[in-house]
Amino acid sequence: LFRSPEPDDNELMTAYINGDERAFTALFGRYSPRLTTFLRYRLGARRRHLIEEVYQKTWLKLHAGRKSFDPVLKFSTWFYTIALNTLRDEVGTLYERTPHDEINETIPDPQANSEEQYLSKETFIQVEALFTFLTGPQRTALLLSDREEMSSKEIAEIMKISGSSARQLV
């Protein structure tokens, strides 16, 4: 069914559209932690209820709109467009969190030892603190560029801005 031993995202999405629930499970496994991280950096760790709501609605919208997926396009671009639009639908275009938002938790790696968990938490706190100095669009562009390794063109498409604006934000 798949061309390579490990199918790419577009192959999985095409299989899911054709009724393969295992393909959805694989996509979910790949993108669930990414979506959580994306939303946590966008909204702040204290807004867990909002993160969970946007998270769930993003997956529901993916499911509902699966037949509109164009396999010519990159899945991750399509997915993050859904996530960003869902975020905007839920909290409006002013979805910035206040600079004094506190970090009250992190999601530690359950496989990590206590020293690794501490270092991971410290790194997250430092990165989160730096993110407070960025605007919402800058955060989105940086996350998509750095964490998801997307090009300026892909970022521009997701954010509905020009390529030069996307490069400038990053």
Side-chain angles (χ1 to χ4, degrees):
L1 179 66
F2 299 116
R3 288 181 270 150
S4 62
E6 187 170 325
D8 68 25
D9 298 338
N10 282 28
E11 290 173 321
L12 288 171
M13 189 62 189
T14 301
Y16 175 53
I17 291 167
N18 293 322
D20 185 348
E21 295 298 321
R22 292 173 303 150
F24 174 78
T25 301
L27 280 171
F28 185 82
R30 286 181 189 177
Y31 281 87
S32 181
R34 292 174 173 182
L35 179 59
T36 299
T37 300
F38 177 76
L39 294 173
R40 287 188 70 200
Y41 277 118
R42 295 295 305 156
L43 296 168
R46 294 192 69 196
R47 296 192 177 164
R48 185 182 330 176
H49 68 285
L50 189 55
I51 291 168
E52 290 173 8
E53 185 149 337
V54 174
Y55 174 91
Q56 290 174 7
K57 287 185 177 186
T58 298
W59 286 109
L60 288 171
K61 286 182 179 182
L62 177 138
H63 173 72
R66 68 190 178 280
K67 300 226 186 241
S68 70
F69 174 70
D70 182 354
V72 173
L73 303 175
K74 193 171 177 182
F75 173 80
S76 59
T77 303
W78 184 73
F79 178 76
Y80 282 105
T81 299
I82 293 170
L84 191 56
N85 288 339
T86 303
L87 180 62
R88 288 177 177 152
D89 289 348
E90 288 302 306
V91 293
T93 55
L94 299 175
Y95 49 87
E96 311 305 324
R97 60 190 175 84
T98 57
H100 52 78
D101 234 353
E102 295 175 28
I103 302 162
N104 64 351
E105 65 172 305
T106 62
I107 301 175
D109 179 358
Q111 302 298 322
N113 63 36
S114 60
E115 182 179 349
E116 289 171 335
Q117 286 181 3
Y118 174 78
L119 292 174
S120 175
K121 181 178 180 180
E122 288 299 308
T123 301
F124 180 81
I125 289 170
Q126 291 171 354
V127 170
E128 180 90 341
L130 291 172
F131 260 62
T132 63
F133 295 104
L134 301 176
T135 66
Q138 288 172 328
R139 274 185 241 152
T140 298
L142 186 60
L143 284 170
L144 294 174
S145 172
D146 187 52
R147 302 278 300 182
E148 297 302 320
E149 299 178 355
M150 290 185 172
S151 69
S152 295
K153 181 181 176 186
E154 292 169 321
I155 293 168
E157 190 176 321
I158 290 169
M159 296 181 70
K160 296 177 178 44
I161 58 175
S162 70
S164 61
S165 293
R167 284 188 295 280
Q168 187 176 28
L169 287 172
V170 174

